[in-house]
Amino acid sequence: MNIKNIFLGAMALSMISGVALAGALDEPTNMAPFFTDSSMKTMKPEADFKAAWAATAKDKQDSMMKECQDAAMSKPHAEFCANLMMFAGHK
């Protein structure tokens, strides 16, 4: 009985922490407007990137900026965050 409870507790904890790691930069619907392709490998040109940023809801903008300012969260999205900081006025 104790082993079962320990296992279930560990499983629940891993599921909760896994969800917590996903953020605004990992959400395809947030990121798609900034890329030219569905694989999200090629970013849009500067004017289109700025337009996509302007069309993004303020709460999503805040979440994305917060994650780009966190070194660990922004590392997989370094190029995107560099553009975001430049276009959002955080040079």
Side-chain angles (χ1 to χ4, degrees):
M1 181 75 166
N2 286 337
I3 293 174
K4 182 179 179 183
N5 288 336
I6 291 170
F7 176 74
L8 290 175
M11 183 74 113
L13 184 60
S14 70
M15 289 172 57
I16 291 170
S17 64
V19 170
L21 293 176
L25 298 178
D26 295 320
E27 181 61 44
T29 57
N30 290 345
M31 300 297 283
F34 299 96
F35 291 88
T36 61
D37 54 347
S38 61
S39 65
M40 290 190 251
K41 300 286 183 200
T42 307
M43 278 191 269
K44 289 185 175 180
E46 182 178 335
D48 294 338
F49 193 99
K50 283 183 178 181
W53 178 248
T56 302
K58 178 72 171 126
D59 61 328
K60 287 183 183 180
Q61 285 182 350
D62 292 343
S63 296
M64 293 168 102
M65 287 299 296
K66 183 178 179 182
E67 288 182 30
C68 279
Q69 292 170 347
D70 181 325
M73 292 294 287
S74 67
K75 191 172 185 175
H77 307 283
E79 184 181 2
F80 173 83
C81 287
N83 283 345
L84 188 62
M85 293 298 180
M86 184 176 62
F87 298 139
H90 295 87
K91 293 182 181 179

